[in-house]
Amino acid sequence: MICPNCKNKEFYTLANNYIKCKKCSKKLSLKKIEKDILVIQKFCENKSAFEVSSELKLNYKTIKDRFDILREKIAIFSEVIYNSSIKDSTEYEEFYYLKEREKLKKRKSLSEAINIIGFYSNQKVYTLLMPKIGNRAFDVEDGFIQYLSWYKIHSQNAHQTKLNKFWKFLEKNLKKHKGVDEDRFFYYLKEYEFKFNYKKSEQLEILKSLSFS
């Protein structure tokens, strides 16, 4: 443990499952810390906030807020890792994510798609959100293939790449949320980038470090 108040690492053990920082005297509940770690573990198991709130018998909003904080920490972590890494993009391509309700429409508009560019570098996937297509949009049935032939960044043997596997992983996991607000989409994108890049055991250790340091 590291004290969230002063970053000290030394504590006194108190009664009733509490510890106290030797430097600033801040008291911390070991029971709450254990619960926070359990929530992180469930997050790494890819469970939804609703599933976790039911399993742990905790308020749904409490779990959702905690999950949102973890996503924000992941986004910062991913940016730091990418910016400090040696750039060697062996694969890169654009991906157009259509929300489920848009997919159900008879005529789908590419202007509604969320435009993402993905890189595969140093055995990790990294993603960036791009501006919406806007006025360049075509109806999918009329001009989607033509649009891709003009604008899409293609990688060789795209169907076999790590990025292609990631796009499928992303779409599969976003479905379970039954709709993600567009202003929060970036954080869900980074969550699944993180979960694709790291094993569950690695995810747990990273998130524990980010949450308790």
Side-chain angles (χ1 to χ4, degrees):
M1 272 299 300
I2 296 177
C3 176
N5 189 45
C6 69
K7 307 304 180 186
N8 179 48
K9 296 182 180 180
E10 296 182 335
F11 296 85
Y12 296 110
T13 301
L14 306 178
N16 301 320
N17 276 324
Y18 274 81
I19 55 176
K20 184 171 76 172
C21 176
K22 287 186 176 182
K23 185 175 180 181
C24 71
S25 298
K26 182 177 178 65
K27 293 181 181 180
L28 301 172
S29 166
L30 289 175
K31 189 174 181 180
K32 183 183 181 301
I33 292 167
E34 288 172 3
K35 190 178 291 182
D36 286 344
I37 291 173
L38 186 54
V39 169
I40 292 171
Q41 188 175 335
K42 297 294 182 182
F43 179 85
C44 295
E45 289 172 4
N46 215 21
K47 294 191 175 182
S48 68
F50 180 78
E51 288 174 316
V52 176
S53 66
S54 298
E55 284 183 26
L56 302 184
K57 294 180 172 53
L58 294 171
N59 181 272
Y60 167 76
K61 188 177 184 304
T62 299
I63 300 299
K64 185 181 181 303
D65 288 349
R66 185 60 181 150
F67 275 20
D68 283 343
I69 290 170
L70 291 174
R71 291 182 182 109
E72 289 165 10
K73 288 181 181 293
I74 285 169
I76 295 170
F77 170 81
S78 297
E79 294 291 312
V80 170
I81 292 297
Y82 179 75
N83 289 329
S84 62
S85 66
I86 297 171
K87 308 299 185 295
D88 179 23
S89 300
T90 54
E91 298 172 23
Y92 56 95
E93 62 186 23
E94 280 183 307
F95 178 75
Y96 304 98
Y97 174 75
L98 286 168
K99 295 178 182 178
E100 291 303 309
R101 66 173 180 269
E102 188 66 25
K103 289 178 184 176
L104 294 173
K105 291 181 181 178
K106 189 172 181 180
R107 291 182 67 81
K108 306 172 186 65
S109 175
L110 203 56
S111 63
E112 294 300 315
I114 296 174
N115 188 10
I116 309 166
I117 187 166
F119 303 90
Y120 183 65
S121 177
N122 302 315
Q123 299 185 318
K124 295 283 188 298
V125 165
Y126 179 77
T127 58
L128 289 172
L129 280 182
M130 303 296 286
K132 279 201 163 187
I133 295 165
N135 293 332
R136 293 182 295 157
F138 299 91
D139 286 328
V140 172
E141 287 83 356
D142 294 340
F144 188 62
I145 300 301
Q146 184 181 20
Y147 175 82
L148 293 186
S149 68
W150 287 345
Y151 293 106
K152 188 173 187 229
I153 301 171
H154 292 283
S155 61
Q156 193 173 13
N157 300 320
H159 64 286
Q160 299 174 354
T161 67
K162 280 285 186 181
L163 283 170
N164 184 263
K165 291 178 182 177
F166 172 70
W167 304 135
K168 291 177 180 177
F169 176 80
L170 177 67
E171 285 201 299
K172 177 183 174 182
N173 282 284
L174 286 175
K175 278 183 184 178
K176 72 180 183 182
H177 295 288
K178 296 179 172 53
V180 173
D181 289 339
E182 202 159 320
D183 59 349
R184 295 290 301 174
F185 183 86
F186 170 77
Y187 296 104
Y188 285 83
L189 174 63
K190 288 298 170 180
E191 172 189 350
Y192 293 115
E193 175 189 308
F194 176 76
K195 288 179 174 177
F196 186 82
N197 285 334
Y198 298 95
K199 297 175 183 176
K200 287 179 184 177
S201 58
E202 293 173 322
Q203 294 171 30
L204 181 59
E205 291 308 310
I206 291 168
L207 289 178
K208 281 165 62 179
S209 174
L210 294 175
S211 299
F212 300 110
S213 62

